[in-house]
C-alpha cells in the first residue's frame, strides 16, 4: 500500500515506530537522505514528526514501512549533539507545549534551571508550563514560599500549579492542561516526572527511581524521547535524560528577548546595544531596582549572558 500518513512515536535511531490515524503501529525505516535547510542535525527524524510512508510486506510475520517524506514541522527542539559539536540532535517536533516538573526541595530545582528552560521555550515559541511537584511534602511556610515563586512566574505569563503526583493533588488540572495536545515533559531527575506520567497513564508503569539513586547520574539508560497517548488525542512526550530543552547557540543580544518581562522594555535603554549590565540609564536595571523584574530572573539573565561570553 502506498502513501499512508502516520506519526512517529518512538525512534531507536534505525527504526521508527509510526502510528497511523486508524490506530495501527508500523515499524518503519527511512529511505534516502533527508536534510533540513539551514540546520545541521545528526538524526533526520524526531518523535512527533508526521510522515508519509509506503507499506511493504515483511517476511510473513510483520509489516514494514518505508518513510518517503517528512511533513513540514510546526516546531522542533534540538540539543547539542554529544559527538559533533556543530550539529544538533533533534529531540521532538510538533509540540503544543512544554511542561517542566520542578521541586523547590527534595530535590531542589534551581531558579537558574527553571529560567533556562523558560528561555528555551520562548526561543522555540513553545508555550511553557511549570508544575511544582511533591506539594504533599511541604509544610505551610514552604507552601507559602512556593506560592510566591509561582506568583512571580504567573505575572510574567507562565502557567504554574502545585501538584502531588503521589497524593493526586491537582492531577485533574494537569489532565485539563494536556487535553487534546502534544506536551513534552521534562525535569531534573528525581522531581517525579515518571511518577506524574504514570499517574496520567496508569497502564504505562514507567520505572521510577528511588531518592537514593537520583544523585547517581546515568540512572536512565534510555535517552530516546518517546510519545504516549494518555487519552484519545492527548499525547505526552517523555524525554528521559534530557533535562533541559537543549538549545543551540544564542547571541548575547538575543537572550533578553526571551525574558518576556524584559523584552517589553528593550527599546527604552540609553544605548541600543545595552547588555543591561553596567550601562547607565538601563531600563532593565531600573525595573529590577523598582522590583518590577525579580532579582532571581535578572541573576539568571546575567548567568546566561556570562555563559555566552565564555563561549566566545
Ligand atoms: P523522575 O526522575 O523525575 O522521573 O522521578 P521519579 O518519578 O522517579 O520520582 C523520584 C522519587 O520521588 C520517587 O521515589 C517517587 O516515588 C518520589 N515522588 C514522585 N512524586 C512524588 C510526590 O508527589 N510526592 C512525594 N512525596 N514523592 C514523590
Ligand atoms: Zn539596558
Amino acid at each position: 500500500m502506498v502513501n499512508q500518513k502516520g506519526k512517529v512515536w518512538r525512534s531507536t535511531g534505525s527504526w521508527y515506530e509510526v502510528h497511523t490515524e486508524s490506530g495501527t503501529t508500523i515499524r518503519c525505516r527511512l529511505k534516502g537522505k533527508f536534510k533540513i535547510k539551514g540546520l545541521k542535525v545528526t538524526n533526520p527524524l524526531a518523535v512527533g514528526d508526521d510522515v508519509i510512508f509506503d507499506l511493504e510486506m515483511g517476511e510473513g510475520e510483520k509489516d514494514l514501512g518505508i518513510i518517503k517524506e517528512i511533513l513540514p514541522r510546526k516546531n522542533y527542539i534540538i540539543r547539542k549533539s554529544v559527538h559533533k559539536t556543530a550539529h544538533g540532535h533533534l529531540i521532538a517536533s510538533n509540540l503544543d507545549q512544554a511542561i517542566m516538573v520542578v521541586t523547590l526541595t527534595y530535590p531542589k530545582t534551581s531558579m537558574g534551571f527553571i529560567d533556562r528552560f523558560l528561555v528555551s521555550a520562548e526561543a522555540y515559541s513553545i508555550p511553557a508550563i511549570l508544575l511544582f511537584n511533591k506539594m504533599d511534602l511541604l509544610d505551610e511556610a514552604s507552601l507559602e514560599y512556593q506560592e510566591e515563586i509561582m506568583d512571580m512566574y504567573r505575572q510574567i505569563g507562565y502557567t504554574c500549579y502545585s501538584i502531588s503526583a503521589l497524593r493526586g493533588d491537582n492531577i485533574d488540572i494537569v489532565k485539563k492542561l494536556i487535553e487534546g495536545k502534544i506536551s513534552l515533559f521534562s525535569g531534573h531527575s528525581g522531581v517525579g516526572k515518571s511518577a506524574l506520567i504514570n499517574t496520567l497513564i496508569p497502564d504505562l508503569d514507567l520505572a521510577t527511581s528511588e531518592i537514593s539513586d537520583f544523585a547517581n547520574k546515568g540512572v536512565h539508560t534510555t535517552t530516546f524521547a518517546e510519545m504516549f497517548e494518555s487519552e484519545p488525542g492527548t499525547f505526552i512526550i517523555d524525554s528521559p535524560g534530557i533535562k533541559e530543552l537543549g538549545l543551540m547557540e544564542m547571541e548575547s543580544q538575543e537572550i533578553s528577548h526571551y525574558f518576556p518581562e524584559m523584552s517589553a522594555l528593550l527599546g527604552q535603554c540609553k544605548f541600543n546595544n545595552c547588555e543591561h549590565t553596567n550601562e547607565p540609564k538601563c531600563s532593565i536595571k531600573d525595573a529590577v531596582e523598582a522590583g518590577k523584574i525579580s532579582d532571581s530572573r535578572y541573576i539568571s539573565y546575567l548567568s546566561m549572558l556570562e555563559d555566552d561570553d565564555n563561549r566566545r
Side-chain angles (χ1 to χ4, degrees), residues 7-193:
K7 201 175 200 44
V8 177
W9 283 30
R10 213 158 72 90
S11 144
T12 63
S14 46
W15 287 100
Y16 304 97
E17 191 182 298
V18 175
H19 288 237
T20 65
E21 270 165 9
S22 59
T24 52
T25 307
I26 312 286
R27 257 161 62 98
C28 289
R29 278 194 294 121
L30 194 61
K31 196 179 171 188
K33 282 206 188 300
F34 288 84
K35 284 208 173 117
I36 311 172
K37 226 177 163 192
L39 184 72
K40 284 183 182 164
V41 287
T42 52
N43 57 329
L45 258 183
V47 166
D49 271 341
D50 294 311
V51 297
I52 303 288
F53 66 93
D54 284 346
L55 198 60
E56 291 187 351
M57 289 305 150
E59 301 278 284
E61 75 289 1
K62 257 197 187 120
D63 292 340
L64 173 72
I66 308 286
I67 295 170
K68 302 191 307 185
E69 191 184 340
I70 305 168
L71 297 177
R73 298 177 171 113
K74 164 166 112 175
N75 56 37
Y76 54 79
I77 59 168
I78 43 182
R79 67 167 158 76
K80 267 192 199 162
S81 166
V82 203
H83 309 294
K84 293 183 179 172
T85 43
H87 285 61
H89 187 85
L90 275 173
I91 301 168
S93 69
N94 298 320
L95 302 171
D96 291 311
Q97 56 195 12
I99 295 180
M100 186 182 236
V101 184
V102 302
T103 45
L104 295 183
T105 41
Y106 322 113
K108 179 181 167 67
T109 306
S110 73
M111 305 294 271
F113 190 77
I114 294 176
D115 292 331
R116 271 163 203 276
F117 163 80
L118 295 174
V119 164
S120 301
E122 292 293 338
Y124 287 121
S125 304
I126 298 170
I129 295 174
L130 298 174
L131 297 178
F132 291 72
N133 191 31
K134 307 197 187 183
M135 70 180 295
D136 57 298
L137 296 179
L138 302 184
D139 59 21
E140 204 129 306
S142 307
L143 275 174
E144 218 162 275
Y145 170 70
Q146 182 157 300
E147 208 44 64
E148 279 171 28
I149 303 283
M150 289 197 300
D151 266 343
M152 184 265 285
Y153 283 114
R154 284 180 185 133
Q155 275 173 32
I156 303 167
Y158 297 112
T159 301
C160 303
Y161 286 101
S162 289
I163 65 163
S164 167
L166 281 201
R167 203 169 61 184
D169 308 39
N170 288 340
I171 295 302
D172 45 341
I173 292 178
V174 178
K175 285 184 177 164
K176 269 267 169 286
L177 286 173
I178 64 172
E179 197 176 281
K181 296 195 163 122
I182 300 180
S183 308
L184 178 90
F185 279 66
S186 62
H188 241 304
S189 61
V191 295
K193 185 187 60 158

Side-chain angles (χ1 to χ4, degrees), residues 265-266 268-271 273-277 279-285 301:
L265 300 170
L266 287 180
Q268 297 168 31
C269 297
K270 180 172 181 197
F271 299 107
N273 62 348
C274 187
E275 284 201 331
H276 326 299
T277 51
E279 298 89 341
K281 300 212 170 134
C282 164
S283 64
I284 304 295
K285 280 196 294 170
Y301 166 74

Side-chain angles (χ1 to χ4, degrees), residues 193-214:
K193 185 187 60 158
S194 309
L196 175 62
I197 294 175
N198 284 337
T199 306
L200 297 168
I201 318 174
D203 302 340
L204 194 61
D205 210 17
L206 285 183
T208 58
S209 46
E210 280 318 303
I211 302 280
S212 57
D213 20 271
F214 65 69

